[in-house]
Amino acid sequence: MPDRRGDIHKTAHSHGGLGVANAAFCIDDTIRGVPAGTVSLAASDVAGFGWSVSGGDLSYPVLTVSGSAYNGNRDAMFAYAREHGALLAPHIKTPMSVDIAHDLMDAGAWGVSVANLQQASVMLRGGVKRLLIANQLGGERMGDGLGRLLNAYPDAEVVLFADSEASLAVADRAGEISGRVFPVLVEVGLGRAGLRDVEQARKVIGKALTLKHVRLGGVAAYEGAVASADPAATVEAIRNLNDLLKSVFDLVRSAVPERRLVLSSGGSQYFDLVVDALSPLARADGNIDLILRSGAIFFHDHGVYAQALERMDARNGFVSGGNAACVFQPAMRVWAQVLSRPESDLAICGIGMRDVSFDQGFPLALKSWRDGLCNATLDGFSEVEKLNDQHGFLRLKQSVDVKVGDIIEFGISHPCTCFDRWRHFFVVDDNHRVTSVHATSFG
C-alpha cells in the first residue's frame, strides 16, 4: 500500500463545490423537478433563475440537498477523522455523484469506496483516481472486466477486498490483464461477506503470498452488518468483529512485517466503535492507515441515522466533537404538493415509492409551504401512513392548515435508497433557492 503521507490525491476535475453552478450538461423537463416546458437548459445557468423550491417554482416532487448542511456534515466528519488519526474513503454508493466524490477528495479524502465495477467505472471516468472496491467482485470473469477497465486508466490506484481463494483469483486475473499488482485487503465478517475465523484467514493469506499479481495490503470489515435492534448486543457484536479483525491483522503483519498496511472499517452509524477499537492498534504499529468508509453521514437524515447518532451520543462516542445528534444535520429533502384532501384528516401528496426511501422508515412531513411562506408545522402533527407508487397518504390532526396546492417538505430515512431513485438532485441555499444541479450515476 503506498504511503499516504503527503500524498493525498487531488483530481484535475473542474469542480468548484456543490453550491457552484459549473456543470457542463443540459437539463430538460424529462428530469423530475425541472419546470414543465423546459426543453434544454445549461445546468450552469440554473442558479441564475433563483428557483424557490418552497415557493413552487419547480415541478414536483423534487429532491434537494442543503448546501450548508452537507458542508457542515462534511467538515465535522473530516475534523473527527483528523483528530483520531484516521483517513476517509467515503462510500460513494450513497449519492453516486462524481461531483460529490470530487468535493470529498478536495476536502482531503484518501479516495472513495465503491461497491462494484459499474461504480468503479463511473468514478474513474469522472476523474477519481483512487478507489477502494469495498466488496467481493464475484467470479473470475469480473477479473477480466476489471483488468480491461484499468487498461484505460493506467494511473489509477485500486484496492480490492478478498475473503476467499476465489476472490484472490479474481484479483490475480485482473492484474494479469492490466499488468499491475493489486493491493488486497483480507475481509473478515460475521454478518455478511468476510472470513469468519482466523484459520480461514490463515489459508487466504497464505494463498495471497503465492500470487504474482496480488499484494497483501491489510484487513477490512464492515461493522454495520452485525448490528441488531438491541443496542447492547450490537456493541458486543461489533466488539467481537473488531477482535477478529485485529487477530487477522496480526497474521498479515507477520507475513509482511515492513509493509505499510491498511485497516478499513466504519460506516455511518458505528464509526466511533471502530475508531475506539482500531486507532490504538494503528498508533502502536506505527505503519498503518486506518481508513473509514462512512458515506451516508455526509447527508444524514430524519430517520435511521438520526436514531443511530442518538445512540452514539448515549455511549459518548462523539464526545470530543460535540453532540453528534446536533453537529450533523439532515441535508436531504423531498418536496411534494398536496394533490387532494379527500378526508378532513388526510392529505394525498405527490410523493411515492418511486420518489423516496421507505425500507427503513417512511418519510417525515416537516412543514407545509404556501406562496413561499410556512403555513404549518407538520413534525409531530402528521404521519405518513402509506405510500403507493406516486402517492403519499399523510394523516393530519384536523386542526392543521393544509390545502390542495400546498408544498410539503419531507425529511427522509436512509439516504442510500433515496438518492438511487433520482437521476439528478438540486442543491439549495438556506432560503430554499436552487444554487446548482448535479447528476447521479446509478445505471
Side-chain angles (χ1 to χ4, degrees):
M1 181 67 57
D3 191 337
R4 57 90 181 172
R5 293 168 290 189
D7 187 35
I8 297 298
H9 177 75
K10 297 291 184 179
T11 72
H13 189 262
S14 58
H15 167 64
L18 289 189
V20 178
N22 61 355
F25 60 90
C26 289
I27 59 175
D28 58 29
D29 61 4
T30 64
I31 296 168
R32 279 175 293 175
V34 176
T38 301
V39 176
S40 182
L41 175 66
S44 57
D45 292 339
V46 163
F49 288 89
W51 289 336
S52 170
V53 184
S54 58
D57 292 339
L58 282 80
S59 176
Y60 298 87
V62 62
L63 171 65
T64 66
V65 171
S66 162
S68 62
Y70 164 82
N71 289 339
N73 296 342
R74 177 200 61 202
D75 294 347
M77 191 62 193
F78 275 92
Y80 175 88
R82 286 193 299 270
E83 179 183 355
H84 293 277
L87 298 170
L88 289 169
H91 212 315
I92 210 66
K93 71 176 177 64
T94 297
M96 272 310 293
S97 164
V98 170
D99 288 344
I100 287 175
H102 280 284
D103 186 74
L104 295 170
M105 294 290 288
D106 289 345
W110 173 92
V112 301
S113 296
V114 296
N116 54 41
L117 286 189
Q118 182 265 343
Q119 294 178 10
S121 181
V122 168
M123 290 299 125
L124 290 169
R125 185 177 301 178
V128 179
K129 299 296 179 65
R130 182 181 273 170
L131 302 178
L132 177 58
I133 302 183
N135 199 3
Q136 304 301 315
L137 286 176
E140 195 163 329
R141 294 190 68 176
M142 293 300 100
D144 294 344
L146 177 59
R148 290 193 300 267
L149 174 64
L150 291 179
N151 281 334
Y153 302 98
D155 57 340
E157 180 184 338
V158 176
V159 180
L160 303 178
F161 277 19
D163 70 350
S164 66
E165 294 188 14
S167 298
L168 291 174
V170 173
D172 197 50
R173 176 63 175 167
E176 181 182 353
I177 291 174
S178 62
R180 63 173 68 201
V181 177
F182 282 101
V184 169
L185 307 186
V186 178
E187 183 183 9
V188 301
L190 298 176
R192 200 167 64 182
L195 295 157
R196 274 18 184 193
D197 58 51
V198 171
E199 288 309 309
Q200 290 179 338
R202 194 185 307 275
K203 294 177 183 178
V204 170
I205 292 167
K207 180 64 175 179
L209 293 171
T210 71
L211 298 177
K212 180 178 179 181
H213 299 284
V214 168
R215 176 162 54 90
L216 283 173
V219 186
Y222 173 55
E223 75 291 345
V226 302
S228 69
D230 183 335
T234 294
V235 170
E236 178 65 21
I238 291 174
R239 181 181 297 114
N240 292 337
L241 178 62
N242 287 331
D243 287 345
L244 175 59
L245 187 151
K246 289 187 284 188
S247 295
V248 173
F249 177 82
D250 288 343
L251 294 179
V252 175
R253 173 53 79 205
S254 296
V256 286
E258 303 300 324
R259 185 172 297 166
R260 189 164 188 86
L261 297 174
V262 162
L263 281 174
S264 180
S265 192
S268 294
Q269 297 189 48
Y270 307 103
F271 57 82
D272 61 312
L273 298 178
V274 169
V275 167
D276 287 348
L278 302 186
S279 60
L281 172 59
R283 288 193 299 270
D285 182 277
N287 201 20
I288 290 175
D289 286 327
L290 174 58
I291 300 179
L292 305 179
R293 304 192 304 275
S294 313
I297 192 67
F298 300 102
F299 307 96
H300 195 34
D301 69 8
H302 285 90
V304 61
Y305 287 100
Q307 297 160 17
L309 293 194
E310 290 175 358
R311 293 192 295 269
M312 185 180 294
D313 288 331
R315 60 180 181 259
N316 294 318
F318 201 75
V319 63
S320 59
N323 187 290
C326 295
V327 170
F328 293 97
Q329 296 296 310
M332 300 173 68
R333 303 287 193 277
V334 178
W335 306 73
Q337 282 191 309
V338 177
L339 306 179
S340 175
R341 287 296 314 272
E343 301 169 18
S344 61
D345 63 346
L346 179 64
I348 305 297
C349 303
I351 181 177
M353 292 184 288
R354 296 183 176 186
D355 310 305
V356 69
S357 49
F358 56 90
D359 59 309
Q360 297 193 43
F362 280 157
L364 176 70
L366 302 174
K367 295 179 179 179
S368 176
W369 296 84
R370 184 180 302 160
D371 300 323
L373 299 175
C374 178
N375 60 281
T377 296
L378 300 179
D379 188 5
F381 297 92
S382 66
E383 182 180 9
V384 174
E385 63 181 19
K386 185 171 67 171
L387 293 173
N388 292 159
D389 286 356
Q390 294 185 280
H391 295 90
F393 294 70
L394 183 64
R395 191 64 65 178
L396 302 166
K397 291 191 174 181
Q398 294 188 17
S399 59
V400 175
D401 176 25
V402 171
K403 67 180 184 180
V404 171
D406 287 351
I407 297 170
I408 308 300
E409 175 187 355
F410 290 93
I412 64 101
S413 179
H414 197 191
C416 301
T417 54
C418 188
F419 266 120
D420 67 3
R421 286 164 165 76
W422 296 84
R423 290 164 51 200
H424 297 79
F425 62 92
F426 294 88
V427 174
V428 295
D429 63 19
D430 291 342
N431 295 315
H432 309 147
R433 293 199 176 273
V434 173
T435 59
S436 59
V437 59
H438 304 268
T440 65
S441 298
F442 287 97

